[in-house]
Amino acid sequence: MGEEKKTPFIPDFFIQDSSTFVPEWLKSVKPASAGTAGGSGARGFARPSVPQSGGKALLLKGGHCVIPHQGIFPVDVKIQGTKIESLGENLSDPQALTVEVRGKVVIPGVIDPHVHLGIFADFDAELVTETRSAVLNGVSTLGLYLGGQESYLDKLDDIIAKIEKKSLCDIFIHLVILNRSQLEEVPVYYSRYGITSFKTYMCGIPGLISEVEDDFLLDLMEKVSSLGPDAILNIHAENYRIVRRATERMKKAHPLSESLTEWERSHPAFAEAEAIRRAAFLSKETGARIYFVHVSSEKGIESARDLKQKSKDLFFETTSPYLTLDLEQDPDLLYKMVPPIRSRKDQKALWEGLADDTLDTIGSDHSPMSSAQKKTSVNLWDVPPGYPAVGTHLPSLLDRAAANGFPLARLVEKMCASPAKIFGLYPAKGTLLPGSDADLVIVDPSLRKEATPQSASSRSDYCLHQGKTLKGWPVAIIKSGQWLTPGNLDRVRGSFRAKYLRRV
Ligand SMILES: [Zn+2]
């Protein structure tokens, strides 16, 4: 076999779509070579207890691997079956399929702990299209929110079966708890389905989700806390009375608005800051672990920073849109969201919150919509909140982190290891250590490419950052040891099984 011979690991899309995806390095993918010095290397992380699968190993050679909390190492990765078998210098295996990844960075598959499916379109359809958007852009595990007012008991078997049949990402579930009967069933959701994270809303979304009062919040905290130390309550923290007051004022002053500035003012940052403090205060009475979703503002971060110093049981998430979009640059109604996109100053505070570990994780809050669904009206107040975000999650953050001088290794901690630890998935997920699931992303940190709906690959006909050139893109994805590309997704789907992730 000559050097130019194609191996099965040359992704079709790199060849077919040369205008967008072709990195030069993949054209020089080499067949397995026995020429390099063997063993797992003096600085290896090999752990011989990894079970061997019958299939051929895959060897990624010459890249730089980001091992969260340890650093960036110039080591090779050997994948056997669905697991990472070893890391080390100069790994070799004559039987393995070897791929040269010199000049690239290998990171663990990204965990997006915050996505919604099936809100504005059919759940089954979005399970296909949105996990495609995720996996092709480096996100291999999703934390999926399921909501509604009814019991989940007669639905979960069906939903889990669909996940295992149709999804391309592994999925864990957060259940939204809004009423007494759901609250009473929390221990059953935990023991029967291995669900350890629940969510409630201190501020609802009119027409979609109702909010709960403090007495219910306390009861839910008690219930979640009683499950054990792995259980956690996720909270949408905004003071709904402050939001309602501000919204009424804004609507009165601007009954017809096309500006996201008015939207931002209708959800004032101090409503977020107050609710975070109140929920943290209540949680002390119950011992519950609390995870605050999508912190969006400087005032929210100030609350979080104070509280975090006093408690090990409080965790804070922000989202990639809040870290990369701002009102000044991105005023389009397509970006309407709850909480709102805010100012540059707020965004700067969020990056500082990541840097000093006030913020633990980054989600996307992906809630896919088409531009037609979004623009049913030109009036701000009638436009529904939500946007597709998982397909631009990693590239937008790679771009902005580099621009802000935020270290890649730290970004990977926040995007991979930290959500895995908080939600009980570590070390199977969130790292590249031997024994972990073989979910990896090969990143080209210097590739510049325009964000388009095609690159995002969602059902949506628009994407965040559309038309902007972002620097730093995933160029190849390995999910459960399987090389995934736009060209092979349909072929692989039959033989490839994503997992529903039970956590107890
Ligand atoms: Zn959400």
Side-chain angles (χ1 to χ4, degrees):
M1 297 213 292
E3 290 284 295
E4 298 306 312
K5 176 107 177 152
K6 291 173 191 168
T7 76
F9 291 99
I10 296 180
D12 328 11
F13 76 105
F14 288 142
I15 298 161
Q16 288 165 359
D17 188 358
S18 60
S19 62
T20 51
F21 276 103
V22 175
E24 279 302 309
W25 63 278
L26 263 178
K27 292 179 181 165
S28 61
V29 168
K30 283 184 285 213
S33 157
T36 44
S40 40
R43 272 191 18 214
F45 296 80
R47 199 165 65 196
S49 58
V50 176
Q52 301 285 315
S53 90
K56 259 190 174 182
L58 169 62
L59 200 50
L60 303 177
K61 287 193 69 73
H64 278 72
C65 291
V66 181
I67 315 293
H69 306 294
Q70 300 202 47
I72 303 182
F73 302 90
V75 290
D76 304 335
V77 188
K78 185 176 174 189
I79 294 163
Q80 184 77 53
T82 61
K83 300 283 182 190
I84 294 173
E85 184 184 287
S86 53
L87 297 177
E89 293 173 323
N90 300 320
L91 293 187
S92 81
D93 178 348
Q95 304 303 316
L97 288 155
T98 300
V99 181
E100 183 66 49
V101 294
R102 202 165 299 281
K104 304 296 174 287
V105 180
V106 182
I107 69 171
V110 171
I111 299 170
D112 182 347
H114 193 153
V115 302
H116 302 269
L117 300 177
I119 295 182
F120 299 106
D122 180 56
F123 177 80
D124 296 31
E126 288 197 343
L127 200 50
V128 174
T129 59
E130 306 315 298
T131 61
R132 174 188 71 202
S133 173
V135 83
L136 290 178
N137 287 285
V139 177
S140 54
T141 299
L142 302 176
L144 172 66
Y145 283 94
L146 294 180
Q149 291 285 346
E150 289 154 25
S151 169
Y152 300 102
L153 287 179
D154 53 355
K155 296 183 187 142
L156 278 166
D157 286 323
D158 186 42
I159 288 170
I160 289 167
K162 284 174 179 170
I163 288 170
E164 300 209 318
K165 191 163 172 222
K166 299 188 175 188
S167 177
L168 288 160
C169 299
D170 293 342
I171 290 182
F172 61 104
I173 289 175
H174 313 286
L175 281 186
V176 174
I177 304 296
L178 295 173
N179 58 50
R180 293 277 156 197
S181 55
Q182 290 174 333
L183 185 148
E184 292 309 317
E185 289 174 351
V186 160
V188 189
Y189 302 140
Y190 177 86
S191 58
R192 193 180 297 172
Y193 296 101
I195 294 171
T196 57
S197 47
F198 301 88
K199 181 189 189 184
T200 201
Y201 290 74
M202 295 170 80
C203 181
I205 299 175
L208 277 177
I209 299 155
S210 57
E211 57 263 336
V212 303
E213 299 291 345
D214 290 351
D215 54 347
F216 183 89
L217 191 56
L218 269 171
D219 289 344
L220 181 54
M221 286 175 177
E222 264 178 17
K223 186 69 88 180
V224 170
S225 170
S226 74
L227 298 173
D230 53 349
I232 191 160
L233 180 62
N234 305 355
I235 295 180
H236 176 135
E238 286 182 287
N239 179 316
Y240 82 88
R241 287 176 182 270
I242 295 176
V243 168
R244 188 183 294 169
R245 172 180 179 272
T247 303
E248 281 168 7
R249 286 188 173 193
M250 277 295 126
K251 277 187 170 175
K252 207 168 184 178
H254 308 272
L256 293 170
S257 169
E258 294 176 30
S259 164
L260 281 188
T261 304
E262 267 91 65
W263 181 242
E264 199 272 338
R265 289 185 188 152
S266 73
H267 286 252
F270 76 96
E272 179 176 79
E274 189 279 337
I276 288 172
R277 286 186 189 276
R278 177 158 40 100
F281 183 79
L282 297 178
S283 77
K284 270 201 299 189
E285 301 296 317
T286 64
R289 292 168 78 223
I290 305 291
Y291 177 90
F292 291 92
V293 297
H294 57 45
V295 178
S296 65
S297 66
E298 182 177 25
K299 290 192 169 102
I301 287 292
E302 286 167 1
S303 286
R305 186 172 287 123
D306 284 354
L307 295 160
K308 187 111 181 157
Q309 285 164 5
K310 297 172 203 146
S311 171
K312 290 198 297 288
D313 291 328
L314 302 177
F315 303 90
F316 296 88
E317 171 197 272
T318 189
T319 72
S320 45
Y322 300 147
L323 288 164
T324 58
L325 300 170
D326 65 74
L327 276 181
E328 290 85 345
Q329 280 198 77
D330 308 286
D332 198 292
L333 292 187
L334 289 172
Y335 299 140
K336 179 176 169 181
M337 191 47 158
V338 184
I341 304 290
R342 300 191 192 272
S343 69
R344 283 269 182 85
K345 190 159 169 280
D346 288 291
Q347 190 184 91
K348 184 164 173 281
L350 295 177
W351 281 99
E352 287 165 2
L354 282 178
D356 70 9
D357 284 328
T358 299
L359 288 167
D360 298 283
T361 68
I362 311 171
S364 73
D365 213 350
H366 182 72
S367 8
M369 302 178 70
S370 65
S371 53
Q373 285 178 312
K374 198 79 182 171
K375 295 203 163 172
T376 44
S377 167
V378 292
N379 187 359
L380 163 72
W381 306 111
D382 299 330
V383 171
Y387 42 50
V390 76
T392 44
H393 185 59
L394 178 59
S396 67
L397 288 171
L398 288 170
D399 177 83
R400 193 56 64 93
N404 289 352
F406 190 84
L408 177 62
R410 297 275 287 134
L411 185 68
V412 170
E413 281 173 28
K414 304 291 181 188
M415 298 185 79
C416 305
S418 182
K421 288 178 177 176
I422 291 168
F423 293 114
L425 305 169
Y426 191 86
K429 305 292 186 193
T431 185
L432 296 176
L433 292 174
S436 299
D437 288 356
D439 300 343
L440 307 93
V441 189
I442 300 167
V443 166
D444 183 342
S446 54
L447 179 64
R448 291 174 188 273
K449 206 175 77 175
E450 190 180 315
T452 64
Q454 290 71 35
S455 72
S457 296
S458 159
R459 79 167 178 87
S460 298
D461 58 347
Y462 77 101
C463 71
L464 304 185
H465 304 280
Q466 189 161 327
K468 292 182 203 162
T469 296
L470 303 177
K471 184 184 169 196
W473 284 84
V475 292
I477 317 300
I478 298 162
K479 172 77 197 79
S480 305
Q482 170 84 47
W483 200 294
L484 293 186
T485 73
N488 79 357
L489 283 187
D490 290 335
R491 213 166 349 117
V492 165
R493 201 180 287 277
S495 60
F496 176 84
R497 289 181 72 83
K499 292 188 293 255
Y500 165 65
L501 301 171
R502 274 190 74 99
R503 290 171 281 152
V504 277

